[in-house]
């Protein structure tokens, strides 16, 4: 791919992001053909072509009615938005469906990834309370945002025919309000999550090898490729899902959430498109994370639930990190003071 | 079957905003919502024109296509109406509409949108014709009373026409013929030359 071509491809994306940030500035670009129209009246009285061209182009004019863009007679971009949104949502929906199918197939073939040796009962405190609180706040809010968002995107086609207009309208209203009020939770916890987790998600030894072998996930008997506290897959999800998509979702969502900042329709249409694409890709990516964090791997869920993991789990899944903990070089330590209830839970999580 | 449409004659509209006022008072529309508005094009420049605009009751209506709860319906006369009981106030119809017709009364903090409101062609909503509930949500149902939209009836210059498409386009066609040149309809000058080139049939001549 040549560089000019790449630039050309990236320009609209950059444009949308810049527009999102500087939305009031775009108004200044509305010039118009007023002078051309005046001149045309001299040479061809009654020929209003320049004026109608302005109307088709959505140029700002004059009106006595107050409000956002009430002075625009016609906006041409609404039609493009209307045409772009359904195929885009459909593509995203198919992507998510494909992910779920692939995970189901993977589960059938591989089953839950377990540990090769029995747990020793020696625990490591893998996640601090702050980390767990942040993780679960973000995780639960993303789940709520995803389900409520999907109701707005696909409910009309998938739920409305089944449950009828009245019930679906009620559900959609509930979903919209829940989406709008959970969004700020996500908005404020996202930076906290980035700050807390960025350190152990920086590139480190073993990343490349993990990536090339895909962590050894596709070999049924084999051992996992050694990794630090977080493996390359987790790091990729952190950078892509949390830092990129999460931030984009917050920004594009906020543009739609607060229509009272006088932003025009074009900016909200772009925000919607950006939001839908990033939301669907986010749900796609999250399904892999949720799979491995729950049914896909023994001991992972209990780790985040309680904050503790068994040393066997650590050795198996994050060997480099385990070595560091053992040598006392990691910020995480062996926890001999873990309560009995937690010990039982962690031991239970590792059982086949 | 009639197909109801609006037509605004840019050569006649004098920006008196009578239609806007007529609409507001007829339907007792809340503050901050204007179902109709007048836009002046090239205000203050020679040849300025004004146009009154509200919901145009599109044939392939974008609002209807994007509504996530599918609350729009089109009457047998082509009028696009919606059900406020179903509307969730997402604003998508406002994004899609070319004419800025859907309006939102602000509802509480954060600029949360209330139920969408728009021009009904004075045809009310899904409730029983001329019922109290219908009036409260959508305004008067003049069509059920055998009347045409209040804005067009009130228009002082009869620039704004509302009614059966066949009838109003005949009126407009006659106007264009009477004005003689026809070049004031947009694009004609460009397509058919300057008006000083004599038209093939002189205006008003019997053919
Ligand atoms: C992981 C996080 C999120 C996911 C998965 C998500 C998902 C979605 C989806 C699928 C839609 C429907 C889009 C459509 O069909 O047009 C939507 C709409 C929307 N989202 Fe999000 N979203 C997320 C976060 C946010 C955030 C952080 C905000 C605000 C700051 C936000 C605000 C909105 C708004 C305002 C809408 C338009 C519909 C409405 O008014 O309710 N979203 N979201
Ligand atoms: S609201 Fe807008 S899109 Fe819908 S019918 Fe009226 S003019 Fe057309
Ligand atoms: S605001 Fe109401 S009428 Fe408009 S698209 Fe949303 S639900 Fe439909």
């Amino acid at each position: 791919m040549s560089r000019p071509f790449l630039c050309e491809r990236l320009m609209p994306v950059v444009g949308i992001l810049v527009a999102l940030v500087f939305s009031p500035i775009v108004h200044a670009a509305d010039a118009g053909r007023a002078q051309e129209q005046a001149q045309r009246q001299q040479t061809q009285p009654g020929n209003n072509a320049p004026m109608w061209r302005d109307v088709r182009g959505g140029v700002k004019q004059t009106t006595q009615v107050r409000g956002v863009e009430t002075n625009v007679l016609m906006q041409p971009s609404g039609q493009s938005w209307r045409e772009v949104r359904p195929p885009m949502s459909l593509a995203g929906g198919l992507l998510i469906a494909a992910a779920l199918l692939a995970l189901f197939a993977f589960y059938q073939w591989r089953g839950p990834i377990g540990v090769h040796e029995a747990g020793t009962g020696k625990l490591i405190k893998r996640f601090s309370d702050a980390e767990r609180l942040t993780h679960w706040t973000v995780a639960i809010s993303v789940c709520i945002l995803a389900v409520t968002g999907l109701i707005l995107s696909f409910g009309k086609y998938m739920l409305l025919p089944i449950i009828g207009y009245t019930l679906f309208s009620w559900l959609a209203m509930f979903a919209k309000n829940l989406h709008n009020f959970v969004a700020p939770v996500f908005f404020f916890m996202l930076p906290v999550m980035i700050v807390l987790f960025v350190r152990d998600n920086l590139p480190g030894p073993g990343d490349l090898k993990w990536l090339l072998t895909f962590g050894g996930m596709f070999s049924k008997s084999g051992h996992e490729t050694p990794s630090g506290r977080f493996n390359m897959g987790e790091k990729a999800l952190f950078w892509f899902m949390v830092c990129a998509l999460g931030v984009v979702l917050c920004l594009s969502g906020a543009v739609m959430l607060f229509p009272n900042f006088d932003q025009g329709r074009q900016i909200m249409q772009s925000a919607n498109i950006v939001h839908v694409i990033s939301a669907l890709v986010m749900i796609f990516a999250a399904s892999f994370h949720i799979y491995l964090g729950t049914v896909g791997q023994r001991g992972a869920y209990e780790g985040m639930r309680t904050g503790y993991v068994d040393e066997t789990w650590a050795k198996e899944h994050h060997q480099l990190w385990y070595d560091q903990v053992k040598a006392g070089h990691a910020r995480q330590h062996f926890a001999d003071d873990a309560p009995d209830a937690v010990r039982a839970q962690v031991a239970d999580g590792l059982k086949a | 079957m009639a197909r109801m449409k609006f037509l605004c004659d840019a050569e006649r509209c004098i920006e008196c905003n009578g239609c806007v006022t007529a609409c507001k008072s007829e339907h007792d529309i809340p503050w901050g919502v204007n179902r109709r508005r007048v836009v002046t094009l090239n205000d203050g420049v020679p040849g300025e024109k004004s146009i009154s605009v509200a919901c145009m009751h599109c044939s392939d209506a974008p609002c209807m296509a994007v509504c996530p709860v599918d609350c729009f319906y089109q009457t047998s006369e082509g009028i696009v109406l919606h059900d406020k009981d179903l509307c969730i106030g997402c604003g998508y119809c406002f994004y899609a509409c070319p004419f800025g017709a859907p309006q939102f009364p602000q509802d509480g903090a954060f600029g949360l949108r209330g139920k969408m409101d728009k021009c009904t062609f004075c045809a009310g909503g899904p409730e029983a014709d001329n019922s109290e509930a219908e009036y409260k949500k959508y305004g008067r149902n003049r069509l059920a009373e055998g009347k045409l939209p209040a804005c067009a009836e009130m228009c002082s210059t009869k620039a704004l026409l509302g009614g059966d498409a066949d009838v109003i386009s005949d009126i407009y066609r006659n106007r264009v013929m009477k004005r003689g040149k026809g070049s004031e309809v947009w694009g004609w000058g460009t397509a058919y030359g300057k008006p000083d080139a004599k038209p093939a049939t002189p205006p008003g001549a019997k053919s």
Side-chain angles (χ1 to χ4, degrees):
Chain A
M1 206 186 270
S2 72
R3 272 197 66 186
F5 181 69
L6 192 70
C7 289
E8 216 170 285
R9 276 298 168 89
L10 285 174
M11 273 322 277
V13 181
V14 174
I16 286 172
L17 289 179
V18 171
L20 280 174
V21 179
F22 301 106
S23 63
I25 291 176
V26 291
H27 302 335
D30 292 341
R33 301 178 175 81
Q35 285 319 313
E36 199 186 331
Q37 163 77 1
Q39 274 159 17
R40 187 67 63 90
Q41 296 315 298
Q42 306 287 314
T43 54
Q44 299 179 40
N47 179 345
N48 299 322
M51 182 186 85
W52 293 122
R53 241 170 255 140
D54 276 353
V55 168
R56 297 274 327 167
V59 170
K60 297 205 158 161
Q61 303 280 357
T62 313
T63 184
Q64 303 307 316
V65 168
R66 289 205 204 155
V68 179
E69 291 187 334
T70 48
N71 55 356
V72 174
L73 188 58
M74 257 177 68
Q75 59 126 0
S77 57
Q79 182 68 14
S80 323
W81 176 71
R82 165 204 179 172
E83 280 169 354
V84 152
R85 189 170 155 261
M88 202 181 55
S89 307
L90 181 67
L94 291 176
L95 191 70
I96 294 170
L100 296 181
L101 274 177
L103 285 173
F104 181 77
F106 184 77
Y107 186 77
Q108 291 301 318
W109 171 69
R110 171 92 208 235
I113 299 171
V115 282
H116 288 79
E117 296 153 36
T120 62
K122 204 158 184 243
L123 300 193
I124 303 172
K125 179 110 202 240
R126 179 164 165 80
F127 295 111
S128 73
D129 293 350
E131 282 170 338
R132 282 187 306 127
L133 184 72
T134 310
H135 175 270
W136 286 118
T137 316
V138 170
I140 292 169
S141 57
V142 165
C143 288
I144 295 175
L145 288 165
V147 171
T148 54
L150 289 174
I151 289 175
L152 291 175
S153 292
F154 300 108
K156 182 180 180 176
Y157 311 104
M158 301 178 75
L159 293 174
L160 194 148
I162 301 168
I163 66 177
Y165 281 87
T166 311
L167 204 57
F168 178 67
S169 160
W170 182 87
L171 180 69
M173 178 68 109
F174 180 71
K176 184 199 117 165
N177 283 329
L178 202 57
H179 197 90
N180 290 356
F181 282 97
V182 171
V185 176
F186 181 72
F187 194 100
F188 287 111
M189 285 315 271
L190 194 68
V192 177
M193 173 169 247
I194 293 175
V195 168
L196 279 182
F197 284 87
V198 68
R199 204 165 144 173
D200 293 319
N201 277 297
L202 295 172
D207 283 351
L208 197 63
K209 184 145 180 253
W210 195 98
L211 195 65
L212 293 176
T213 56
F214 220 75
M217 223 180 282
F218 291 107
S219 117
K220 244 179 178 175
S221 54
H223 280 264
E224 204 172 305
T225 317
S227 69
R229 187 175 178 217
F230 298 122
N231 63 40
M232 189 56 211
E234 291 172 297
K235 288 180 186 178
L237 276 181
F238 172 81
W239 290 108
F240 180 60
M241 226 171 84
V242 180
C243 299
L245 291 177
V247 171
V248 170
L249 275 169
C250 281
L251 294 181
S252 57
V255 171
M256 292 187 283
L257 191 55
F258 300 101
N260 44 341
F261 282 117
D262 287 4
Q263 65 270 46
R265 281 162 289 184
Q266 228 173 330
I267 213 79
M268 292 200 258
Q269 289 152 3
S270 316
N272 178 269
I273 300 295
V274 170
H275 198 76
V276 176
I277 295 176
S278 42
L280 296 178
V281 175
M282 166 83 114
I283 297 170
F284 169 79
S287 49
F288 294 96
H289 175 77
I290 295 172
Y291 172 82
L292 281 174
T294 54
V295 294
Q297 193 194 66
R298 294 205 177 96
Y301 172 75
E302 285 72 21
M304 191 50 94
R305 175 74 199 268
T306 63
Y308 297 88
V309 293
D310 194 283
E311 95 176 307
T312 309
W313 184 93
K315 197 155 65 183
E316 177 100 21
H317 296 302
H318 299 276
Q319 203 186 343
L320 302 179
W321 174 66
Y322 173 71
D323 293 342
Q324 281 178 331
V325 173
K326 229 168 48 176
H329 296 325
R331 277 170 297 130
Q332 292 76 29
H333 303 286
F334 284 102
D336 299 325
D337 55 346
D340 287 345
V342 165
R343 288 182 181 282
Q345 219 175 334
V346 171
D348 225 31
L350 278 186
K351 276 197 200 113
Chain B
M1 183 47 75
R3 169 47 165 118
M4 294 299 179
K5 285 183 185 170
F6 279 125
L7 191 158
C8 186
D9 189 342
E11 302 299 321
R12 282 189 175 225
C13 178
I14 56 168
E15 201 205 352
C16 70
N17 280 286
C19 49
V20 179
T21 315
C23 176
K24 265 192 104 84
S25 74
E26 184 76 5
H27 303 298
D28 207 6
I29 295 170
W31 266 104
V33 174
N34 284 287
R35 289 183 180 176
R36 183 168 279 289
R37 67 189 196 279
V38 178
V39 177
T40 302
L41 310 164
N42 299 330
D43 193 21
V45 177
E48 72 166 49
K49 297 279 184 290
S50 290
I51 290 193
S52 170
V53 67
C55 172
M56 294 290 274
H57 303 278
C58 307
S59 305
D60 173 22
C63 56
M64 224 162 149
V66 300
C67 177
V69 294
D70 201 17
C71 79
F72 289 88
Y73 60 103
Q74 198 156 20
T75 71
S76 54
E77 293 175 316
I79 300 171
V80 176
L81 298 176
H82 72 296
D83 188 337
K84 283 196 184 182
D85 291 342
L86 299 180
C87 170
I88 62 170
C90 65
Y92 284 4
C93 49
F94 171 68
Y95 296 180
C97 173
F99 304 105
Q103 309 277 313
F104 295 89
Q106 192 167 316
D107 187 12
F110 309 128
L112 226 63
R113 299 181 180 97
K115 305 264 184 194
M116 189 273 273
D117 187 272
K118 74 168 188 69
C119 158
T120 64
F121 208 85
C122 288
E127 274 81 5
D129 285 350
N130 297 321
S131 61
E132 174 90 6
E134 186 190 47
Y135 180 77
K136 273 226 174 84
K137 285 180 207 159
Y138 309 96
R140 203 172 300 287
N141 189 338
R142 290 170 55 94
L143 258 66
E145 296 169 4
K147 299 172 186 161
L148 285 173
C151 50
E153 292 228 321
M154 215 66 90
C155 178
S156 54
T157 61
K158 290 288 167 272
L160 184 61
L161 304 171
D164 183 11
D166 289 343
V167 178
I168 63 169
S169 47
D170 269 353
I171 296 173
Y172 186 69
R173 199 175 298 118
N174 272 329
R175 282 183 192 173
V176 171
M177 308 277 272
K178 291 250 166 57
R179 282 173 201 154
K181 310 184 292 291
S183 58
E184 68 266 42
V185 179
W186 70 279
W188 282 38
T190 307
Y192 309 125
K194 296 178 183 177
D196 55 8
K198 275 220 157 165
T201 330
K206 299 229 168 77
S207 52

